[in-house]
Amino acid sequence: MIDGQARHCPYEMEWSFKVAVQRVAVNPWPWSVALGFNQGELVSGQTRTLYCSGQTAMDADGRPQHDGDMAAQVTTCLDNLEAVLTAASMSLTNVVRLNVYTVNVDELFPHYGVLASRLAAAGVAPATTMLQVTRLALPGQLVELEATAVG
């Protein structure tokens, strides 16, 4: 207040500072670690949270790719997820939650190693949920990855 009048600031300030993100795996049972994911991740000190939309096998123009090819779709979904993370100055290293939606869990399992190996290469085992759904948004899509990242 100035002179008893409320004044609005004519500009906005953006504050930028770095806070170390601390991640602690929460695994009351050891079996999930062997499968490449943690039951939970306790994250503290984050400065930014990115909620990624589900990434499917789409090209840069929004056209579906690899109709009916689970292996190729898993790879493209990961590439697209990494593109979103990169655009936010993040990487797979920042992913703390991953939801995997597929129209056929049994068909996904033989190709799950692609996902697990890329996460392992990034040094993460995010809390993960895998769900089989009746269908995804567009015909021919077999898998979708939805992530939350902090950093």
Side-chain angles (χ1 to χ4, degrees), residues 21-91:
V21 174
Q22 296 177 336
R23 298 166 60 138
V24 177
V26 178
N27 290 303
W29 317 280
W31 62 263
S32 65
V33 176
L35 295 174
F37 70 95
N38 292 318
Q39 294 291 327
E41 291 228 346
L42 181 60
V43 180
S44 60
Q46 76 266 17
T47 58
R48 301 180 310 140
T49 303
L50 175 65
Y51 300 94
C52 299
S53 292
Q55 298 301 307
T56 58
M58 305 284 270
D59 69 11
D61 295 318
R63 291 186 301 262
Q65 301 295 298
H66 314 298
D67 188 19
D69 185 343
M70 181 70 81
Q73 286 195 23
V74 169
T75 298
T76 304
C77 289
L78 274 165
D79 293 343
N80 290 345
L81 176 58
E82 285 192 286
V84 173
L85 292 165
T86 299
S89 299
M90 293 185 176
S91 69

Side-chain angles (χ1 to χ4, degrees), residues 1 9 22 25 41 44 51 67 75 119 121 134 136 145-147:
M1 287 192 133
C9 183
Q22 296 177 336
E41 291 228 346
S44 60
Y51 300 94
D67 188 19
T75 298
L119 292 171
T134 304
L136 295 170
L145 303 177
E146 176 186 69

Side-chain angles (χ1 to χ4, degrees), residues 102-119:
T102 183
V103 297
N104 190 327
V105 170
D106 293 329
E107 187 180 344
L108 176 61
F109 277 139
H111 309 290
Y112 197 76
V114 172
L115 175 61
S117 66
R118 283 181 58 181
L119 292 171

